[in-house]
Amino acid sequence: MRGGGQLSGGGPGRGVATGARSYAVPEEHLGRIYDHSLMMRILRYLRPETARVLVAALLLILFSLTSLAGPLITRIGIDHYIANGDAAGLLRICLAWFALLLIGGGLQYAQIVTMNLIGQRTMMRLRQEIYRHLQRLPISFYDRHPVGRLMTRVTNDVEVLNQLFTQGVVAIIGDLVTLLGIMIVLLVMDARIAFVTFAMLPFLFWFSIAFRSRVRHAFRDVRLALARINAYLQENLGGIAVIKAFRREARNDAEFDELNTDHRDAFLRSVRAFAVYFPLVELTQSVAIALILWYGGGLVIQDGLTFGALVAFIQYVGRFFRPIRDLSEKYNILQDAMASSERIFALLDREPEPDAPTTSPYVEAFDPQAAIRFERVSFSYDGKTPVLQEVSCEIAPGTTTAIVGATGSGKTTMISLLARFYDPTAGVISIGGIDTRKVPRAVLRRRMAIVEQDVFLFAGTIADNMRLWEPGISKERLAEAVATSHADVLIRRLPRGWEHPVMERGGSFSTGERQLLAFARALAFDPEILILDEATASVDTETEALIQDALRNLLRERTSIVIAHRLSTIRRADQILVVHHGRILERGTHAELLAQGGLYARLYRLQFRGEAGRSEGLGQSVD
Amino acid sequence: MLLPYLRHYRRTLALGLGAMLLATGATRLIPWILKLAIDALRNGASMETVARLGGAMIAAGAVGGLFLYLQRWLLISTSRRVEYDLRRDLFSHLQRLDLDFFARQRTGDLMAHFTNDLNALRDVAGPGIMYAATTMVMLVLSISLMVAIDPLLTLLSFAPYPLISVVTFFFGRAMYYRSRRVQDLFGLLSSRVQEDLGGVRVVRAYNQETRCAQRFAELNDAYLAANMSVARLRGTFIAAMSALAGSGMAIALLIGGRQVIAGELSLGALVALSAYLAELTWPVIAIGWVIGMIQRGASAAGRIERIRRAAPRIVSGPRRTPPASRLCFEGVSFRYPDAEVEALHDISFELAVGQTLGITGRTGSGKSTILKLILRFHDPTAGRILLGGHDLRGRDIGEIRRMIGYAPQDGLLFSRPLIENIAYGDPDRPREAIQETLARVRLGEEVAEFPAGLATLVGERGLTLSGGQRQRVSLARALLLEPRLLLLDDTLASVDAETEAEILANLRGYVAERTAVIVSHRISAIRAADWILVLDEGRILEQGTHESLVGQGGLYARIHRRQQLAAEIEEVE
């Protein structure tokens, strides 16, 4: 967060957070408004749009100038034609005005479109940059950062910057041009009246600044109150059972009332500010017109000031005030943009995961059909609690290794390390003698397929989820993969088959069905190394039979590492590793381990004795 | 729907509209004064006259300003108060609806009613009313004054303005659809990011980073195109507005100028008429805008009204005297609404005051449902539940829940200081009682190590508690009430075995003093119960005491043996 300016107490909605007000701590501070280096960094994103920015600025200047013409034309019309009774001249100048209005409309349209295009294109680039950056950050980053908040960086924060580009940066030029243009016109028409008009400016500035600061504070409080209301609603509507059981309804009404009152009162403060500001501006304007009339009237009488000029002055007053009024709005845009860009840049400044070079002797020598070795591999997620401790094992090419153990023993971590989602804190994982850290992740993973226990399905179609977005996978290969993995049975049941829509996170599919789909996905990629984390949740018997059979096809002729919960998988494995508290405690075949009568034998007794046919698993919580 | 709320503020609203009338009237005078001044000047008036007219103008501006202030304050603030009233009533109403209602609704949708729909209604109640009224008054006053100056000129120069209203209205509609597309795409963009990041392990495992980025870029292109279509529309609208408004002025100058030349109109009148015309631009735009606002408000009102019409089906009975804690199920069956199978079937048992019932069984076997029926979150579809010999349905719900301490399965806590979570059911409990309860659930030492002890904020924005800690806080929350009937729903599932054993030992005396129903997967938590039910698919599969059930050699005995084995394995080093 910026500035670190802690909210100081006083007033409702601030101070120590207790009760309902402890919902949602303020995220924003009224700190620095303008940070030059930050602004420069934002503006750097405009560089590819330089030409468009120049065009937009030019259009804006031209348009501002045409919009200044109205009062001037009125003046000429009055002084030159009406005063002299020249009806033809009047027609001419009015036609010119129409023409100017048309041109002005065109300019304004072009300007708005160009400016939006600049904003949108810049945003698009920024969004893509953030997105790609996120894809290059290590998995461990995602363990610490909730996806929802990252999403906000890509979407909402970028959207805030858009305002700066479309309504802020260039529009300020327009306001300045208008302001300056009017000042020049006024000075040229009559310097004396011009100065009378300018006399009102300090007041207007003063009102605007006072107003702006009041509204800003009020709106900040409104946002805070609204955030609290939302957080309160979210939790209490979700926790309605507890509320009812503890008979909190009346108390919650009172608590919610506090938040609701804060929200209303903050809003009322802003309403008050607006209610004071607008009349003040109007009054200032009336005073300005009265002054022009009084002073200008005197000049008309004594000095021969023309009526046209007097009228033009009066007409300009209103336009003169508008840009000043708008400045306060620009100020808010700037402030918001600063806050958002700071959050965005903080994310972009995070170091992406370093990767091995794409061309090296290691890459050329890398052979995925070689033995996999863990050599004294240790790992910890938080740097404190060891999850794996000096794990060593060898997995011969083309064989199946089953890893068994209780929940939390470190099984999943082993395969996460093999896929290089994380790197070991100590020790080496090698394939064919080459440290996996020496080859780029993409090269390593291209030969691997991973089926995780909690299968992630993307919104899209079944086919999308099978081949992901890999164009190299042909329809035929996909059909074969689906047949081998028995996912075809499932797909045939779906009304739209391959094109059947998958909801977000695969909502409508059961655990077993997801597993089948994930098998098909893995097979479609035809990996040399297959990594599989079997689902523990119980599956209906029909699907279970399909899964068992699919697994046999899946594991054939591949180097496979399976976190196994199914007896059938375990029995077939060439090697079983029994993991306990981050160490490999026992290893061998099913028969060998049973004969040893150690931990494996006990695990086996726990889960499978007398129910070898059932689909229950090792490590599953006992139900 | 909005009317009863507005009626409550009818006096303020009337005053506000009165102020609006005066404010608009006073400011309408200014161009007229301008007319008088210019004509006076043309006729060679003295400085004094001009000064007096200038003074009159300032006076009109001041009066107008004062009433404009009153107008805005009275009218807009009323809408904020109406919003407040609506939100308060909606929340209060929601809290009293059945759990079934919440099962059918997504929290996100309910929240949208609180934000979007209330905003739409508030817009109607405030700016809607204000601009609609102001526009009417402005139009009537300005046009009357303009007609007084010159009817023909008024007609001709005002001609483009109705067009503005029409354009605004259609623009508003087109804008609505195009903005919807932008919003839809924005939603798509957000969910795409969420998915790709949520599934980041799959994306990386299958090397799809680049392709995901491509797909994201395509979506970005569509989003840009949709945004640009909005920008073009808005550009057209804004440009057309300024051109149309400008043409009115040009027409006035052209026609009016000719009339001035012909001597039919004074210069002052022309200037005043132009001034009236210029000030009509915004109100005319507002017409189209207000119509859209009212349309949105009407659909929002419909959605909110639907919630307000939902009525709870589970209502209190007439008996208010607190019942005894003797609990009896008589052939209770229950089916959740929309469910095909019964969650509970023909459940009967009796529990004397001070006894403990243990319930175990697989996930989904109906264990939690029994507790929810006792709490009257739902009513049985068949059979009766008796408390102290009386049917629950004849009792006051508040009285029943007052005697119950309930620790739900998920250990849901609220984002507030720990102490407020523990004393959730009774905030006035003395601190000693809280400390005692904390010790009972073995949280005392851990809490002492929290950054702010009992005042530590927990939940989303505070300290993240482990599952076991949350469950113990939830247990403490129930125990603190010293209820006569204690309902524990697998409350120690995430607590490690050692701590669980200690807590169970601590609770022995406490539980013995009251009637308790304890649901648990773990045999250790219920083995001491006076009676144990083993549920399977909503039916009682086995029942008896621990010893008798172990002796039966059924499901209970199997679960018991497995848990013993699992415990042994945990101890292997």
Side-chain angles (χ1 to χ4, degrees), chain A residues 108 127-128 131 135 137 235 244 248 255 257 267 272 452 469-470, chain B residues 69 80 84 97 196 201 204 211 215 220 242 414-416 424:
Chain A
Q108 194 176 17
R127 262 196 303 273
Q128 249 137 259
Y131 180 90
Q135 290 284 22
L137 290 176
E235 214 168 82
K244 286 184 181 286
R248 283 285 295 212
E255 281 186 354
D257 197 54
F267 246 128
R272 172 91 63 181
E452 295 195 273
W469 303 280
E470 185 67 52
Chain B
Y69 162 74
R80 294 297 175 182
Y84 162 85
L97 289 179
D196 288 356
R201 292 168 70 103
R204 303 242 172 130
R211 289 204 182 82
R215 264 160 36 99
N220 255 316
S242 18
F414 296 92
S415 304
R416 50 177 70 217
Y424 193 69

mmCIF file of all heavy atoms in Angstrom, chain A residues 108 127-128 131 135 137 235 244 248 255 257 267 272 452 469-470, chain B residues 69 80 84 97 196 201 204 211 215 220 242 414-416 424:
data_model
loop_
_atom_site.group_PDB
_atom_site.id
_atom_site.type_symbol
_atom_site.label_atom_id
_atom_site.label_comp_id
_atom_site.label_asym_id
_atom_site.label_seq_id
_atom_site.Cartn_x
_atom_site.Cartn_y
_atom_site.Cartn_z
ATOM 1 N N GLN A 108 -15.192 16.342 -33.007
ATOM 2 C CA GLN A 108 -15.430 15.793 -31.680
ATOM 3 C C GLN A 108 -15.566 14.268 -31.742
ATOM 4 O O GLN A 108 -14.989 13.553 -30.929
ATOM 5 C CB GLN A 108 -16.701 16.408 -31.083
ATOM 6 C CG GLN A 108 -16.818 16.148 -29.598
ATOM 7 C CD GLN A 108 -18.017 16.845 -28.993
ATOM 8 O OE1 GLN A 108 -18.940 17.263 -29.704
ATOM 9 N NE2 GLN A 108 -18.007 16.973 -27.681
ATOM 10 N N ARG A 127 -2.913 -5.435 -20.167
ATOM 11 C CA ARG A 127 -3.538 -6.664 -19.683
ATOM 12 C C ARG A 127 -2.743 -7.882 -20.123
ATOM 13 O O ARG A 127 -2.498 -8.799 -19.361
ATOM 14 C CB ARG A 127 -4.958 -6.781 -20.246
ATOM 15 C CG ARG A 127 -6.039 -6.328 -19.291
ATOM 16 C CD ARG A 127 -7.391 -6.821 -19.723
ATOM 17 N NE ARG A 127 -7.754 -6.407 -21.052
ATOM 18 C CZ ARG A 127 -8.353 -5.253 -21.343
ATOM 19 N NH1 ARG A 127 -8.694 -4.425 -20.383
ATOM 20 N NH2 ARG A 127 -8.645 -4.927 -22.573
ATOM 21 N N GLN A 128 -2.330 -7.855 -21.393
ATOM 22 C CA GLN A 128 -1.591 -9.000 -21.892
ATOM 23 C C GLN A 128 -0.237 -9.125 -21.208
ATOM 24 O O GLN A 128 0.208 -10.213 -20.916
ATOM 25 C CB GLN A 128 -1.427 -8.905 -23.407
ATOM 26 C CG GLN A 128 -2.247 -9.960 -24.095
ATOM 27 C CD GLN A 128 -2.975 -9.433 -25.303
ATOM 28 O OE1 GLN A 128 -4.164 -9.164 -25.210
ATOM 29 N NE2 GLN A 128 -2.277 -9.256 -26.412
ATOM 30 N N TYR A 131 -0.877 -10.594 -17.857
ATOM 31 C CA TYR A 131 -1.262 -11.998 -17.983
ATOM 32 C C TYR A 131 -0.045 -12.873 -18.264
ATOM 33 O O TYR A 131 0.173 -13.880 -17.608
ATOM 34 C CB TYR A 131 -2.283 -12.140 -19.111
ATOM 35 C CG TYR A 131 -2.762 -13.548 -19.328
ATOM 36 C CD1 TYR A 131 -3.868 -14.025 -18.656
ATOM 37 C CD2 TYR A 131 -2.087 -14.403 -20.192
ATOM 38 C CE1 TYR A 131 -4.318 -15.323 -18.840
ATOM 39 C CE2 TYR A 131 -2.510 -15.697 -20.380
ATOM 40 C CZ TYR A 131 -3.626 -16.155 -19.707
ATOM 41 O OH TYR A 131 -4.055 -17.443 -19.892
ATOM 42 N N GLN A 135 1.823 -15.841 -16.011
ATOM 43 C CA GLN A 135 2.109 -17.196 -16.469
ATOM 44 C C GLN A 135 3.568 -17.576 -16.244
ATOM 45 O O GLN A 135 3.918 -18.742 -16.317
ATOM 46 C CB GLN A 135 1.771 -17.351 -17.959
ATOM 47 C CG GLN A 135 0.292 -17.335 -18.266
ATOM 48 C CD GLN A 135 -0.400 -18.629 -17.911
ATOM 49 O OE1 GLN A 135 0.090 -19.394 -17.088
ATOM 50 N NE2 GLN A 135 -1.556 -18.872 -18.505
ATOM 51 N N LEU A 137 5.315 -16.536 -13.504
ATOM 52 C CA LEU A 137 5.657 -16.550 -12.082
ATOM 53 C C LEU A 137 5.613 -17.978 -11.553
ATOM 54 O O LEU A 137 4.874 -18.797 -12.053
ATOM 55 C CB LEU A 137 4.685 -15.663 -11.303
ATOM 56 C CG LEU A 137 4.833 -14.160 -11.562
ATOM 57 C CD1 LEU A 137 3.756 -13.385 -10.824
ATOM 58 C CD2 LEU A 137 6.213 -13.667 -11.145
ATOM 59 N N GLU A 235 -20.743 -12.702 4.394
ATOM 60 C CA GLU A 235 -20.495 -13.649 5.464
ATOM 61 C C GLU A 235 -21.780 -14.050 6.159
ATOM 62 O O GLU A 235 -21.998 -15.210 6.486
ATOM 63 C CB GLU A 235 -19.534 -13.017 6.454
ATOM 64 C CG GLU A 235 -18.618 -14.013 7.068
ATOM 65 C CD GLU A 235 -17.508 -13.326 7.808
ATOM 66 O OE1 GLU A 235 -17.727 -12.916 8.959
ATOM 67 O OE2 GLU A 235 -16.425 -13.173 7.232
ATOM 68 N N LYS A 244 -29.062 -18.174 12.867
ATOM 69 C CA LYS A 244 -30.346 -18.644 13.397
ATOM 70 C C LYS A 244 -30.138 -19.463 14.669
ATOM 71 O O LYS A 244 -30.880 -19.307 15.637
ATOM 72 C CB LYS A 244 -31.081 -19.468 12.338
ATOM 73 C CG LYS A 244 -31.651 -18.590 11.235
ATOM 74 C CD LYS A 244 -32.462 -19.392 10.252
ATOM 75 C CE LYS A 244 -33.004 -18.527 9.139
ATOM 76 N NZ LYS A 244 -34.114 -17.670 9.563
ATOM 77 N N ARG A 248 -29.149 -14.563 16.465
ATOM 78 C CA ARG A 248 -28.482 -13.275 16.336
ATOM 79 C C ARG A 248 -29.269 -12.299 15.470
ATOM 80 O O ARG A 248 -28.768 -11.217 15.167
ATOM 81 C CB ARG A 248 -27.112 -13.477 15.684
ATOM 82 C CG ARG A 248 -26.072 -14.021 16.611
ATOM 83 C CD ARG A 248 -25.578 -12.961 17.564
ATOM 84 N NE ARG A 248 -24.880 -11.893 16.885
ATOM 85 C CZ ARG A 248 -23.878 -11.216 17.402
ATOM 86 N NH1 ARG A 248 -23.434 -11.515 18.609
ATOM 87 N NH2 ARG A 248 -23.305 -10.239 16.742
ATOM 88 N N GLU A 255 -26.393 -4.357 14.074
ATOM 89 C CA GLU A 255 -25.038 -4.198 13.534
ATOM 90 C C GLU A 255 -25.073 -3.715 12.096
ATOM 91 O O GLU A 255 -24.322 -2.829 11.699
ATOM 92 C CB GLU A 255 -24.300 -5.543 13.574
ATOM 93 C CG GLU A 255 -23.771 -5.883 14.933
ATOM 94 C CD GLU A 255 -22.926 -7.144 14.901
ATOM 95 O OE1 GLU A 255 -22.855 -7.800 13.839
ATOM 96 O OE2 GLU A 255 -22.346 -7.467 15.929
ATOM 97 N N ASP A 257 -27.333 -2.128 10.797
ATOM 98 C CA ASP A 257 -27.800 -0.751 10.815
ATOM 99 C C ASP A 257 -26.636 0.222 10.979
ATOM 100 O O ASP A 257 -26.619 1.278 10.375
ATOM 101 C CB ASP A 257 -28.814 -0.570 11.950
ATOM 102 C CG ASP A 257 -29.627 0.689 11.767
ATOM 103 O OD1 ASP A 257 -30.220 0.841 10.688
ATOM 104 O OD2 ASP A 257 -29.640 1.519 12.686
ATOM 105 N N PHE A 267 -22.607 9.238 2.439
ATOM 106 C CA PHE A 267 -23.220 9.706 1.203
ATOM 107 C C PHE A 267 -23.863 11.074 1.402
ATOM 108 O O PHE A 267 -23.771 11.955 0.543
ATOM 109 C CB PHE A 267 -24.253 8.701 0.694
ATOM 110 C CG PHE A 267 -23.851 8.090 -0.595
ATOM 111 C CD1 PHE A 267 -23.827 6.721 -0.756
ATOM 112 C CD2 PHE A 267 -23.466 8.887 -1.658
ATOM 113 C CE1 PHE A 267 -23.426 6.153 -1.954
ATOM 114 C CE2 PHE A 267 -23.080 8.330 -2.857
ATOM 115 C CZ PHE A 267 -23.057 6.959 -2.996
ATOM 116 N N ARG A 272 -24.333 16.809 0.534
ATOM 117 C CA ARG A 272 -24.244 18.171 1.061
ATOM 118 C C ARG A 272 -23.207 18.968 0.279
ATOM 119 O O ARG A 272 -23.446 20.104 -0.115
ATOM 120 C CB ARG A 272 -23.871 18.094 2.551
ATOM 121 C CG ARG A 272 -23.562 19.404 3.191
ATOM 122 C CD ARG A 272 -24.762 20.066 3.801
ATOM 123 N NE ARG A 272 -25.327 19.283 4.896
ATOM 124 C CZ ARG A 272 -26.407 19.663 5.586
ATOM 125 N NH1 ARG A 272 -27.028 20.789 5.267
ATOM 126 N NH2 ARG A 272 -26.865 18.931 6.565
ATOM 127 N N GLU A 452 -3.737 -34.844 -12.060
ATOM 128 C CA GLU A 452 -3.786 -34.551 -10.639
ATOM 129 C C GLU A 452 -5.044 -35.119 -10.015
ATOM 130 O O GLU A 452 -6.030 -35.394 -10.699
ATOM 131 C CB GLU A 452 -3.684 -33.048 -10.420
ATOM 132 C CG GLU A 452 -2.323 -32.550 -10.868
ATOM 133 C CD GLU A 452 -2.007 -31.172 -10.375
ATOM 134 O OE1 GLU A 452 -2.385 -30.201 -11.055
ATOM 135 O OE2 GLU A 452 -1.405 -31.060 -9.311
ATOM 136 N N TRP A 469 -5.268 -26.638 -25.784
ATOM 137 C CA TRP A 469 -5.344 -25.811 -26.984
ATOM 138 C C TRP A 469 -4.253 -26.179 -27.967
ATOM 139 O O TRP A 469 -3.858 -25.413 -28.808
ATOM 140 C CB TRP A 469 -5.317 -24.337 -26.572
ATOM 141 C CG TRP A 469 -6.451 -24.125 -25.640
ATOM 142 C CD1 TRP A 469 -7.756 -23.943 -25.980
ATOM 143 C CD2 TRP A 469 -6.420 -24.173 -24.215
ATOM 144 N NE1 TRP A 469 -8.533 -23.889 -24.863
ATOM 145 C CE2 TRP A 469 -7.743 -24.016 -23.761
ATOM 146 C CE3 TRP A 469 -5.413 -24.353 -23.278
ATOM 147 C CZ2 TRP A 469 -8.078 -24.022 -22.404
ATOM 148 C CZ3 TRP A 469 -5.731 -24.353 -21.934
ATOM 149 C CH2 TRP A 469 -7.069 -24.204 -21.513
ATOM 150 N N GLU A 470 -3.743 -27.413 -27.788
ATOM 151 C CA GLU A 470 -2.617 -27.885 -28.582
ATOM 152 C C GLU A 470 -3.077 -28.185 -29.999
ATOM 153 O O GLU A 470 -3.872 -29.103 -30.202
ATOM 154 C CB GLU A 470 -2.065 -29.145 -27.910
ATOM 155 C CG GLU A 470 -0.821 -29.707 -28.541
ATOM 156 C CD GLU A 470 0.365 -28.783 -28.384
ATOM 157 O OE1 GLU A 470 0.654 -28.364 -27.255
ATOM 158 O OE2 GLU A 470 0.977 -28.464 -29.411
ATOM 159 N N TYR B 69 -29.790 24.888 -3.446
ATOM 160 C CA TYR B 69 -29.171 24.131 -2.373
ATOM 161 C C TYR B 69 -30.230 23.304 -1.646
ATOM 162 O O TYR B 69 -30.073 22.103 -1.441
ATOM 163 C CB TYR B 69 -28.458 25.073 -1.403
ATOM 164 C CG TYR B 69 -28.186 24.433 -0.074
ATOM 165 C CD1 TYR B 69 -27.172 23.482 0.049
ATOM 166 C CD2 TYR B 69 -28.950 24.739 1.051
ATOM 167 C CE1 TYR B 69 -26.935 22.863 1.257
ATOM 168 C CE2 TYR B 69 -28.717 24.122 2.261
ATOM 169 C CZ TYR B 69 -27.711 23.174 2.361
ATOM 170 O OH TYR B 69 -27.490 22.560 3.550
ATOM 171 N N ARG B 80 -31.183 8.960 -0.508
ATOM 172 C CA ARG B 80 -30.202 8.207 0.277
ATOM 173 C C ARG B 80 -30.850 7.587 1.505
ATOM 174 O O ARG B 80 -30.484 6.512 1.950
ATOM 175 C CB ARG B 80 -29.060 9.125 0.702
ATOM 176 C CG ARG B 80 -28.234 9.610 -0.463
ATOM 177 C CD ARG B 80 -27.572 8.455 -1.126
ATOM 178 N NE ARG B 80 -26.854 8.855 -2.320
ATOM 179 C CZ ARG B 80 -26.224 8.002 -3.104
ATOM 180 N NH1 ARG B 80 -26.246 6.716 -2.839
ATOM 181 N NH2 ARG B 80 -25.589 8.418 -4.170
ATOM 182 N N TYR B 84 -31.310 3.650 2.377
ATOM 183 C CA TYR B 84 -30.980 3.110 3.698
ATOM 184 C C TYR B 84 -32.145 2.277 4.236
ATOM 185 O O TYR B 84 -31.960 1.151 4.694
ATOM 186 C CB TYR B 84 -30.652 4.278 4.625
ATOM 187 C CG TYR B 84 -30.718 3.955 6.097
ATOM 188 C CD1 TYR B 84 -29.623 3.402 6.753
ATOM 189 C CD2 TYR B 84 -31.865 4.222 6.825
ATOM 190 C CE1 TYR B 84 -29.683 3.107 8.100
ATOM 191 C CE2 TYR B 84 -31.934 3.931 8.174
ATOM 192 C CZ TYR B 84 -30.849 3.373 8.803
ATOM 193 O OH TYR B 84 -30.907 3.082 10.129
ATOM 194 N N LEU B 97 -35.796 -15.411 6.710
ATOM 195 C CA LEU B 97 -36.287 -16.435 5.775
ATOM 196 C C LEU B 97 -35.701 -17.809 6.134
ATOM 197 O O LEU B 97 -34.695 -17.911 6.825
ATOM 198 C CB LEU B 97 -35.905 -16.042 4.342
ATOM 199 C CG LEU B 97 -36.689 -14.857 3.786
ATOM 200 C CD1 LEU B 97 -36.229 -14.530 2.378
ATOM 201 C CD2 LEU B 97 -38.177 -15.153 3.785
ATOM 202 N N ASP B 196 -7.633 -19.648 -15.928
ATOM 203 C CA ASP B 196 -6.264 -19.944 -16.346
ATOM 204 C C ASP B 196 -5.308 -19.903 -15.160
ATOM 205 O O ASP B 196 -4.353 -20.667 -15.097
ATOM 206 C CB ASP B 196 -5.808 -18.953 -17.429
ATOM 207 C CG ASP B 196 -6.499 -19.235 -18.759
ATOM 208 O OD1 ASP B 196 -7.248 -20.224 -18.811
ATOM 209 O OD2 ASP B 196 -6.281 -18.483 -19.716
ATOM 210 N N ARG B 201 -1.581 -25.122 -12.788
ATOM 211 C CA ARG B 201 -0.742 -26.327 -12.785
ATOM 212 C C ARG B 201 -0.987 -27.148 -14.052
ATOM 213 O O ARG B 201 -0.046 -27.703 -14.627
ATOM 214 C CB ARG B 201 -1.015 -27.159 -11.538
ATOM 215 C CG ARG B 201 -0.531 -26.471 -10.273
ATOM 216 C CD ARG B 201 -1.072 -27.161 -9.043
ATOM 217 N NE ARG B 201 -0.482 -28.464 -8.851
ATOM 218 C CZ ARG B 201 0.479 -28.708 -7.952
ATOM 219 N NH1 ARG B 201 0.932 -27.746 -7.192
ATOM 220 N NH2 ARG B 201 0.975 -29.909 -7.822
ATOM 221 N N ARG B 204 0.599 -25.344 -17.050
ATOM 222 C CA ARG B 204 2.048 -25.499 -17.104
ATOM 223 C C ARG B 204 2.434 -26.937 -17.406
ATOM 224 O O ARG B 204 3.364 -27.190 -18.169
ATOM 225 C CB ARG B 204 2.650 -25.091 -15.762
ATOM 226 C CG ARG B 204 2.278 -23.687 -15.383
ATOM 227 C CD ARG B 204 3.481 -22.804 -15.254
ATOM 228 N NE ARG B 204 3.023 -21.441 -15.073
ATOM 229 C CZ ARG B 204 3.441 -20.639 -14.122
ATOM 230 N NH1 ARG B 204 4.362 -21.048 -13.269
ATOM 231 N NH2 ARG B 204 2.980 -19.417 -14.028
ATOM 232 N N ARG B 211 -0.323 -20.694 -25.607
ATOM 233 C CA ARG B 211 -1.637 -20.782 -26.251
ATOM 234 C C ARG B 211 -2.705 -20.125 -25.392
ATOM 235 O O ARG B 211 -3.627 -19.508 -25.905
ATOM 236 C CB ARG B 211 -1.973 -22.229 -26.537
ATOM 237 C CG ARG B 211 -1.074 -22.691 -27.640
ATOM 238 C CD ARG B 211 -1.524 -23.816 -28.449
ATOM 239 N NE ARG B 211 -0.421 -24.037 -29.373
ATOM 240 C CZ ARG B 211 0.660 -24.718 -29.045
ATOM 241 N NH1 ARG B 211 0.756 -25.299 -27.855
ATOM 242 N NH2 ARG B 211 1.633 -24.843 -29.896
ATOM 243 N N ARG B 215 -5.205 -17.223 -26.550
ATOM 244 C CA ARG B 215 -6.650 -17.208 -26.357
ATOM 245 C C ARG B 215 -7.081 -15.952 -25.609
ATOM 246 O O ARG B 215 -8.092 -15.341 -25.903
ATOM 247 C CB ARG B 215 -7.075 -18.428 -25.535
ATOM 248 C CG ARG B 215 -7.534 -19.597 -26.371
ATOM 249 C CD ARG B 215 -7.483 -20.895 -25.589
ATOM 250 N NE ARG B 215 -7.840 -20.753 -24.193
ATOM 251 C CZ ARG B 215 -9.030 -21.038 -23.681
ATOM 252 N NH1 ARG B 215 -9.979 -21.477 -24.459
ATOM 253 N NH2 ARG B 215 -9.256 -20.913 -22.392
ATOM 254 N N ASN B 220 -9.299 -10.461 -25.632
ATOM 255 C CA ASN B 220 -8.959 -9.051 -25.498
ATOM 256 C C ASN B 220 -9.360 -8.257 -26.730
ATOM 257 O O ASN B 220 -9.833 -7.134 -26.626
ATOM 258 C CB ASN B 220 -7.447 -8.915 -25.304
ATOM 259 C CG ASN B 220 -7.107 -8.592 -23.884
ATOM 260 O OD1 ASN B 220 -7.752 -7.754 -23.271
ATOM 261 N ND2 ASN B 220 -6.119 -9.259 -23.342
ATOM 262 N N SER B 242 -23.992 18.282 -29.205
ATOM 263 C CA SER B 242 -23.495 19.663 -29.265
ATOM 264 C C SER B 242 -23.906 20.315 -30.574
ATOM 265 O O SER B 242 -24.219 21.505 -30.601
ATOM 266 C CB SER B 242 -21.980 19.756 -29.032
ATOM 267 O OG SER B 242 -21.363 18.540 -29.213
ATOM 268 N N PHE B 414 -16.844 -15.555 12.033
ATOM 269 C CA PHE B 414 -17.104 -14.281 11.379
ATOM 270 C C PHE B 414 -15.872 -13.385 11.467
ATOM 271 O O PHE B 414 -15.058 -13.530 12.375
ATOM 272 C CB PHE B 414 -18.315 -13.611 12.019
ATOM 273 C CG PHE B 414 -19.578 -14.394 11.815
ATOM 274 C CD1 PHE B 414 -19.994 -15.322 12.754
ATOM 275 C CD2 PHE B 414 -20.326 -14.240 10.667
ATOM 276 C CE1 PHE B 414 -21.148 -16.073 12.554
ATOM 277 C CE2 PHE B 414 -21.476 -14.971 10.459
ATOM 278 C CZ PHE B 414 -21.890 -15.895 11.400
ATOM 279 N N SER B 415 -15.767 -12.464 10.529
ATOM 280 C CA SER B 415 -14.600 -11.568 10.482
ATOM 281 C C SER B 415 -14.706 -10.522 11.575
ATOM 282 O O SER B 415 -15.130 -9.398 11.310
ATOM 283 C CB SER B 415 -14.527 -10.861 9.136
ATOM 284 O OG SER B 415 -14.499 -11.786 8.112
ATOM 285 N N ARG B 416 -14.358 -10.903 12.750
ATOM 286 C CA ARG B 416 -14.420 -9.964 13.858
ATOM 287 C C ARG B 416 -13.482 -10.475 14.928
ATOM 288 O O ARG B 416 -12.965 -11.576 14.802
ATOM 289 C CB ARG B 416 -15.853 -9.846 14.364
ATOM 290 C CG ARG B 416 -16.500 -11.187 14.624
ATOM 291 C CD ARG B 416 -17.886 -11.047 15.185
ATOM 292 N NE ARG B 416 -18.797 -10.528 14.195
ATOM 293 C CZ ARG B 416 -19.784 -9.681 14.474
ATOM 294 N NH1 ARG B 416 -19.968 -9.271 15.697
ATOM 295 N NH2 ARG B 416 -20.585 -9.262 13.527
ATOM 296 N N TYR B 424 -20.493 -14.999 20.610
ATOM 297 C CA TYR B 424 -21.426 -14.630 19.544
ATOM 298 C C TYR B 424 -22.877 -14.741 19.989
ATOM 299 O O TYR B 424 -23.703 -13.892 19.675
ATOM 300 C CB TYR B 424 -21.176 -15.538 18.331
ATOM 301 C CG TYR B 424 -21.850 -15.077 17.078
ATOM 302 C CD1 TYR B 424 -21.420 -13.912 16.444
ATOM 303 C CD2 TYR B 424 -22.896 -15.790 16.512
ATOM 304 C CE1 TYR B 424 -22.025 -13.479 15.290
ATOM 305 C CE2 TYR B 424 -23.507 -15.356 15.354
ATOM 306 C CZ TYR B 424 -23.073 -14.202 14.745
ATOM 307 O OH TYR B 424 -23.667 -13.776 13.598
#
